[in-house]
């Protein structure tokens, strides 16, 4: 109430925070989709997912660098559209392949082992990728090529960066598209079948290994897009940039109901908006909100907002 | 009995020798040996490299002009690898093994703090070119520095915001995990309030944050005249872009952490017309500065950073102190350093005060295109 009195346009401020939160939450959603898909099929929390997101940012950085659009020290030239397309394609393909490779080398050999073994392997892969990133990319902070020049877009009483708008639009298209893919196509049906009961799906003639590979490829591609979008909006690349993002996206996935794609999207948006709105009063506690929200949801509805109860297989 | 006495005597001699390890005089007929310990590897390697380049340029000039009181300078350098423990090791080596006459270093306050007790123990004057933490020179009466401290820097920025930018309302966005950032923020806030201004918002972020939108919205709601960003160049570039995207177009102001050739390219134009305080200004019209910039460009092919300028000045400070002392005697050189007044270097004119810190001016720079344009100097008398 006190804030209401001291600042006349409190509503505009709240609206601005919601806009900030939607942009932030859209990236959470993109990354959360990867967690949720893998969990849906394998009941595995793929901790390496956040590092695939980091790789996505770096993989979309290098094409422009190789083509000379990141000269050292000098003013960076504008990157033409075809290089942007190239970088996008490279990042998505490379991350999808990385995702499949991780599954093939680290998780498939443990498919029938205890779930704890797979979980610890996932943590190991994550640590490996972070350290490999430090070696290959160095720990020096990297900026990002000028794919899109950041400008301010006024929206009524508020203003947002054009890159934030791009994030929201691209994330909505990707997650919406993925939802349709899973619900409407034969391959999507195979994924849902694997998620429901892998053994029966195999009996029905579903190629389980191929379906799992595809799940990892799609999830990793989504993370790659998330990494690229964030780097455009907040150009600062480090090998550990996935750490906090992975944590938030995982919370978003659980919040929305792990295993559900619309749930991941909803969880991401809710978390982003909640963080920003709480930040109106105190930014120091904004991160804590994510985890308090998680605890509350787990207490009230353990399966998450859109999660279905009783799907847990033991 | 006599045997026992003999053993005792031997032990006493050994003890005495152990206590007062003999260190070399640090000079001979032809040369004076100066020590340097900066990090030329590790995460802050560029700072050390620049400092070393400045030091080497000054030594080259001095030796070409006949050296210090007829003796050429010999430089002994150890890499401190961005680690405090390496700083202590380097200090021990410089003192006991090389017996340097005077030691110069380090850049990072943490490394200077680790090395200072060693030099103090052996009575070797140590001069840090660029450690800004106040406690460095509190380590002993042989420890000096030639850069300004963070308290002065923060206060000077407040004076600049008030007098030059005519700001009445200031906002601060600080990195809550970095003592440099919170320190500068507090010193700025105190001085700005003392001058009659209001700090309308003081927002914080965690180390590694890349999304500052929430904080920027809060700051914008208070419509400040200026935003003070006590951070390093990476954060400054990101924050500036997010301010501009939300339509917060007031000038942004920062300290020496902003200095980098990556600042402007990373900010992509968002910092145009903003200001920061630095140790020296490449664009300074002063003849001494111009000659230094020209000589540095000729030798290394790029413009000197403020660390290079401080490295260059530290050698000339040593030269001046030895000349003032009149002879090659460490205690007398220490006294001369403590009494140094009106030294004119490329980083400005300064005195050494009673705390063995430099009392000097700060150069305020304006970002115009790719260039940092010199605005004016702020003197300590104006801030106090």
């Amino acid at each position: 109430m006190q804030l209401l009195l001291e600042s006349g346009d409190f509503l505009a401020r709240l609206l601005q925070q919601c806009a900030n939160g939607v942009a932030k939450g859209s990236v959470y959603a993109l990354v959360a989709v990867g967690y949720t898909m893998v969990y849906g099929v394998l009941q595995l929390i793929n901790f390496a997912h956040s590092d695939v997101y980091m790789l996505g940012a770096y993989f979309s950085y290098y094409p422009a660098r190789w083509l000379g659009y990141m000269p050292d020290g000098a003013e960076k030239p504008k990157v033409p559209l075809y290089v942007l397309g190239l970088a996008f394609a490279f990042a998505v393909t490379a991350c999808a392949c990385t995702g499949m490779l991780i599954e093939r080398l680290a998780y498939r050999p443990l498919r029938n082992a205890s779930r704890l073994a797979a979980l610890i392997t996932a943590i190991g892969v994550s640590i490996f990728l972070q350290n490999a990133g430090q070696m290959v990319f160095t720990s020096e902070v990297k900026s990002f090529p000028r794919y899109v020049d950041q400008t301010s877009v006024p929206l009524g009483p508020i203003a947002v960066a054009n890159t934030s708008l791009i994030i929201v639009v691209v994330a909505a298209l990707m997650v919406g598209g993925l939802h349709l893919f899973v619900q409407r196509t034969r391959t999507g049906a195979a994924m849902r079948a694997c998620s429901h009961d892998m053994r029966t799906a195999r009996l029905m003639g579903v190629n389980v290994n191929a379906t799992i590979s595809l799940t990892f490829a799609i999830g990793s591609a989504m993370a790659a897009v998330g990494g690229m979008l964030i780097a455009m909006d907040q150009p600062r690349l480090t090998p550990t940039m996935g750490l906090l993002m992975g944590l938030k996206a995982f919370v978003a996935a659980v919040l929305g109901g792990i295993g559900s794609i619309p749930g991941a999207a909803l969880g991401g948006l809710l978390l982003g908006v909640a963080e920003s709105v709480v930040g109106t009063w105190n930014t120091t506690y904004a991160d804590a909100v994510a985890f308090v929200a998680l605890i509350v949801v787990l207490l009230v509805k353990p399966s998450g907002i859109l999660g279905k109860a009783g799907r847990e297989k033991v | 009995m006599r045997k026992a006495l003999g053993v005792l005597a031997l032990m006493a001699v050994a003890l005495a020798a152990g206590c007062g390890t003999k260190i070399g005089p640090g000079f001979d007929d032809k040369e004076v040996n100066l020590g340097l310990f900066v990090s030329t590897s590790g995460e802050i390697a560029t700072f050390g490299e620049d400092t070393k380049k400045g030091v080497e340029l000054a030594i080259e000039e001095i030796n070409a002009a006949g050296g210090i009181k007829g003796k050429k300078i010999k430089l002994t350098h150890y890499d401190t690898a961005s680690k405090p423990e390496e700083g202590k090791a380097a200090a021990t080596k410089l003192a006991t093994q090389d017996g340097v006459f005077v030691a110069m270093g380090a850049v990072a306050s943490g490394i200077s703090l680790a090395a200072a007790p060693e030099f103090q123990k052996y009575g070797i004057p140590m001069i840090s070119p660029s450690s800004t933490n106040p406690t460095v020179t509190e380590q002993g009466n042989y420890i000096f520095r030639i850069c300004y401290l963070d308290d002065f820097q923060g206060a000077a920025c407040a004076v600049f915001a008030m007098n030059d930018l005519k700001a009445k309302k200031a906002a601060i966005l600080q990195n809550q995990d970095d003592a440099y950032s919170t320190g500068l923020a507090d010193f700025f806030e105190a001085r700005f309030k003392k001058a009659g201004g209001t700090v309308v918002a003081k927002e914080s972020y965690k180390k590694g944050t890349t999304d500052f939108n929430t904080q920027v919205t809060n700051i914008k709601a208070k419509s400040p005249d200026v935003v003070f960003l006590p951070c390093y160049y990476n954060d400054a570039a990101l924050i500036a872009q997010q301010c501009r995207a939300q339509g917060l177009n007031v000038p942004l102001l920062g300290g020496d952490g902003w200095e980098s050739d990556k600042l402007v390219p990373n900010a992509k134009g968002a910092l145009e017309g903003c200001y920061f305080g630095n140790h020296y200004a490449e664009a300074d019209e002063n003849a001494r500065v111009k000659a230094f910039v020209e000589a540095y460009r000729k030798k290394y092919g790029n413009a000197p950073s403020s660390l290079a300028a401080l490295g260059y000045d530290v050698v000339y400070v040593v030269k001046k102190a030895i000349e003032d002392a009149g002879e090659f005697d460490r205690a007398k050189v220490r006294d001369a350093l403590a009494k140094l007044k009106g030294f004119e270097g490329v980083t400005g004119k300064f005195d050494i005060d009673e705390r063995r810190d430099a009392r000097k001016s700060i150069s305020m720079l304006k970002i115009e295109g790719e260039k940092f344009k010199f605005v004016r100097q702020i003197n300590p008398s104006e801030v106090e």
Side-chain angles (χ1 to χ4, degrees), chain A residues 212-232:
Chain A
I212 291 173
S213 274
L214 186 71
T215 307
F216 271 87
I218 293 176
S220 302
M222 296 289 221
V225 176
M228 186 176 184
L229 289 173
I230 268 292
M232 267 182 203

Side-chain angles (χ1 to χ4, degrees), chain A residues 6 13 16-17 20 24 75-76 140 143-144 146 150 152 161 234-236 276 279-280 283-284 287, chain B residues 203-204 206 209-211 213-215 217-218 221-222 235 238 241-242 244-246 262 266 268 370:
Chain A
E6 75 183 56
R13 188 173 166 192
Q16 177 77 56
Q17 291 296 21
N20 299 340
K24 201 191 298 209
E75 181 80 52
K76 281 178 271 185
E140 188 204 8
S143 187
F144 206 61
R146 274 176 64 196
Q150 215 169 47
S152 179
Q234 298 152 25
R236 179 160 67 185
S276 291
T280 308
T283 44
T284 317
D287 277 343
Chain B
E203 293 281 328
S204 305
K206 288 193 183 70
T209 300
T210 54
D211 185 341
N213 278 309
T214 307
Q215 290 89 338
T217 301
N218 292 344
K222 306 282 185 174
D235 286 352
L238 280 183
Q241 287 177 70
Q242 290 171 27
R244 301 322 183 212
Q246 284 196 29
K262 288 187 184 138
N266 284 7
K268 300 181 176 112
E370 292 254 307

Side-chain angles (χ1 to χ4, degrees), chain B residues 4-5 60 133 185 206 281 298 301 317 384:
Chain B
L5 261 177
E60 198 173 276
N133 187 295
K206 288 193 183 70
K298 205 175 144 201
V317 166
E384 282 149 9

Side-chain angles (χ1 to χ4, degrees), chain B residues 69-88:
Chain B
K69 290 176 73 66
K71 294 189 204 299
K72 297 268 159 93
I73 302 173
K74 179 182 153 213
L75 185 70
T76 308
H77 171 247
Y78 291 113
D79 174 15
T80 48
S82 308
K83 290 177 194 147
E85 63 271 22
E86 292 288 328
K88 185 171 170 16

Side-chain angles (χ1 to χ4, degrees), chain B residues 124-291:
Chain B
I124 297 173
M126 164 185 146
I127 314 168
S128 166
S130 42
S131 293
T132 50
N133 187 295
T135 58
V136 169
T137 50
E138 288 166 13
Q139 300 304 309
N141 63 346
Y142 274 80
I143 316 300
F144 296 84
R145 89 177 94 210
I146 62 156
C147 56
Y148 52 66
L149 276 69
D150 288 341
D151 51 359
F152 169 68
Q153 184 174 195
C157 286
V159 168
F160 183 78
M162 187 61 99
N163 296 348
D164 296 68
L165 304 180
K166 308 285 173 218
K168 296 270 173 289
K169 293 186 287 177
I172 301 170
L173 181 49
Q174 64 178 3
N175 177 348
Q176 66 186 34
D177 300 324
D178 180 9
Y180 164 77
S181 186
T182 52
L184 274 187
D186 291 345
F187 295 123
F188 176 91
E189 187 179 14
R191 189 64 182 82
F192 195 73
K193 281 180 176 161
K194 200 177 142 205
T198 338
V199 174
V200 290
K202 193 176 183 184
E203 293 281 328
S204 305
Y205 60 88
K206 288 193 183 70
K207 188 175 174 235
T209 300
T210 54
D211 185 341
F212 303 92
N213 278 309
T214 307
Q215 290 89 338
V216 169
T217 301
N218 292 344
I219 288 172
K220 192 184 171 223
K222 306 282 185 174
S223 39
D225 304 318
V226 64
V227 183
F228 183 55
L229 303 177
C231 56
Y232 294 101
Y233 65 93
N234 275 318
D235 286 352
L238 280 183
I239 294 168
Q241 287 177 70
Q242 290 171 27
C243 284
R244 301 322 183 212
Q246 284 196 29
L248 179 61
N249 293 317
V250 297
L252 310 176
L253 180 64
D256 61 343
W258 280 25
E259 194 203 33
S260 166
D261 53 2
K262 288 187 184 138
L263 178 73
V264 173
N266 284 7
K268 300 181 176 112
L271 281 169
E272 183 69 21
C274 293
Y275 303 85
F276 69 100
N278 205 356
H279 298 273
Y280 104 116
E282 188 201 336
D284 195 333
E285 288 298 311
N286 183 309
R288 208 177 324 106
V289 178
K290 281 187 133 169

